[in-house]
Amino acid sequence: MGTGKRGLIATAVTVIGAVAVLAAPGSAFAAPSPTPSPTASPTTAVTNRDIEAVRKQLDALYHDAAVATDAYNAAEEKAEQQSAQIVALTRKIVKGQEKLARLKARAGAAAAAQYRTNGLPDEAKLVLSDDPQQFLDATGRVLQGQRATKALIAELTRTQQDLKQYADDASAQWTKLEANRKAKAAAKKKVEQQIAAAEKLESQLEAKEKERLAELEEQAAQKAQTAWLDSGVLKEISGETSKAGRTAVAYATTQIGKPYVWGAEGPDSYDCSGLTSQAWASAGKPIPRTSQEQWKQLEHVDIRDMRPGDLIIYFDDASHVAMYLGDGAIVHAPRPGRTVTIAGAGSMPILGVVRPDA
């Protein structure tokens, strides 16, 4: 064991925690206060307590990275929607301008025709006419022309109003688009900062300590899963998957082994909600892109009614999502540095269950 290694671990936890807090202000992304470790003499070995402190700090950093990733994905999705709306409004503006040009041409032609008749009043035309019936027929046509002119003016007015509304809507969407681009950039920065802090913290560990860290992570997951199973919940879960659910499960399990990359939605890499949203898209059931929106928008079901294909939402802030496979197992994209894998459904704190094809 290296000289003063325990002190180095304690210092690393403190420094990285401080860096994360300074780099990512705001309650939604701020890294929690680091778990302190007592100062040790240069010859003291690193204990499981020290490694456990590192594990908890890494969990917190990766959790905050997941929250920031959800914010990034949400901003990206909104920006794409607003870009599409701007394109649609632009097309409406172009069509409106073409329509306005045609209406103005018709109005011009009507004005020219009136000019050619010298603008004589109907009474004068009656006096000058040799054929009263011809005059009456002409008067009918004049009335029709007046009604047509009135309708033309009304249509011109409506078209001009529509064009103004389209332009105002496009301007508003552009403002929202710019705001979401900024939110997306800010979230991206926070994700990168949290992941960099976690990677730096892990880099302070020697090979044997990394092995012990992995063991502690596995033990924590197994402990949580065992407690969940011991609750008897699995005995109550008996739902049978739907046809769409089987397709979604097949898609998700086919991705096992592919790397987690924040913001990714396949086909070569995924983040947690990228995996679940693409799995259900493959089943012909588009769902929201982020775990938080999946929790908000999809129908909630009791955990006792859970069936394969349902999505389990984790943590109080709905920052992680996985797909239930049955028999107490899930498939999910865990976090940076990991790959899509199968895990215990109770290995993380469950917020609730949602069903995409309720």
Side-chain angles (χ1 to χ4, degrees), residues 5 26 40 88 104 126 130 134 142 187 196-198 206 230 232 237 252 254 272 277 305-306 311 335 340:
K5 193 66 179 179
K104 286 182 176 180
L126 176 60
D130 295 331
Q134 184 182 19
V142 168
E206 293 181 352
D230 287 348
I237 299 175
T254 301
C272 67
S277 61
D305 299 323
M306 187 165 57
L311 305 182
R335 65 167 175 81
V340 176

Side-chain angles (χ1 to χ4, degrees), residues 23 60 341:
T341 189

Side-chain angles (χ1 to χ4, degrees), residues 246-255 265-267 270 275 278-280 282:
R246 287 193 293 273
T247 301
V249 166
Y251 180 98
T253 52
T254 301
Q255 312 313 310
E265 47 188 331
Y270 298 87
L275 177 65
Q278 289 301 306
W280 273 100
S282 76

Side-chain angles (χ1 to χ4, degrees), residues 9 96-97 121 136 159 206 228 231 245 260 264 283 317:
I9 294 298
Q97 288 172 335
L136 292 174
T159 301
E206 293 181 352
W228 184 69
S231 70
Y260 176 105
D317 53 9

Side-chain angles (χ1 to χ4, degrees), residues 32-299:
S33 301
T35 305
S37 180
T39 304
S41 65
T43 57
T44 303
V46 178
T47 67
N48 277 353
R49 180 177 295 180
D50 298 319
I51 302 299
E52 177 64 11
V54 172
R55 184 190 71 78
K56 289 181 178 179
Q57 184 67 9
L58 285 172
D59 282 350
L61 288 168
Y62 282 124
H63 171 266
D64 288 345
V67 174
T69 297
D70 236 26
Y72 173 89
N73 290 335
E76 182 178 48
E77 186 175 38
K78 288 179 181 178
E80 289 176 353
Q81 291 171 351
Q82 284 147 6
S83 294
Q85 289 171 349
I86 289 171
V87 170
L89 285 167
T90 301
R91 288 173 178 164
K92 286 184 177 181
I93 289 172
V94 170
K95 289 182 179 179
Q97 288 172 335
E98 292 173 348
K99 180 180 180 181
L100 187 61
R102 291 194 300 270
L103 292 172
K104 286 182 176 180
R106 285 172 55 192
Q114 185 177 8
Y115 175 77
R116 286 194 297 271
T117 65
N118 297 319
L120 288 175
D122 292 342
E123 294 82 355
K125 292 178 182 178
L126 176 60
V127 172
L128 296 173
S129 175
D130 295 331
D131 186 345
Q133 185 60 48
Q134 184 182 19
F135 167 76
L136 292 174
D137 293 341
T139 299
R141 289 194 294 273
V142 168
L143 292 174
Q144 290 176 354
Q146 288 175 342
R147 286 194 293 268
T149 300
K150 186 177 180 180
L152 177 61
I153 292 172
E155 193 171 1
L156 268 167
T157 302
R158 284 195 303 271
T159 301
Q160 289 171 328
Q161 291 172 343
D162 288 344
L163 279 171
K164 184 179 183 303
Q165 187 62 54
Y166 295 153
D168 290 345
D169 290 346
S171 178
Q173 290 299 329
W174 183 263
T175 300
K176 291 179 182 179
L177 176 61
E178 288 300 300
N180 277 298
R181 282 174 175 169
K182 290 179 181 178
K184 179 179 171 182
K188 177 181 179 181
K189 183 177 180 181
K190 292 180 187 298
V191 176
E192 291 172 341
Q193 288 172 337
Q194 298 299 96
I195 292 175
E199 290 174 345
K200 185 172 182 179
L201 180 56
E202 287 184 283
S203 73
Q204 307 297 319
L205 303 177
E206 293 181 352
K208 289 184 178 180
E209 291 161 355
K210 289 180 180 179
E211 291 177 4
R212 291 166 66 186
L213 175 63
E215 291 173 359
L216 288 175
E217 288 176 343
E218 181 63 24
Q219 288 172 10
Q222 288 180 354
K223 182 179 179 181
Q225 174 72 355
T226 299
W228 184 69
L229 294 175
D230 287 348
S231 70
V233 65
L234 198 59
K235 296 178 182 178
E236 301 180 28
I237 299 175
S238 58
E240 293 185 5
T241 187
S242 63
K243 181 179 179 181
R246 287 193 293 273
T247 301
V249 166
Y251 180 98
T253 52
T254 301
Q255 312 313 310
I256 290 173
K258 293 184 179 180
Y260 176 105
V261 174
W262 68 270
E265 47 188 331
D268 300 321
S269 57
Y270 298 87
D271 62 19
C272 67
S273 57
L275 177 65
T276 54
S277 61
Q278 289 301 306
W280 273 100
S282 76
K285 300 284 184 179
I287 63 174
R289 170 65 177 85
T290 69
S291 58
Q292 292 175 344
E293 288 303 311
Q294 289 170 8
W295 174 244
K296 288 178 184 177
Q297 296 185 35
L298 300 180
E299 182 170 331

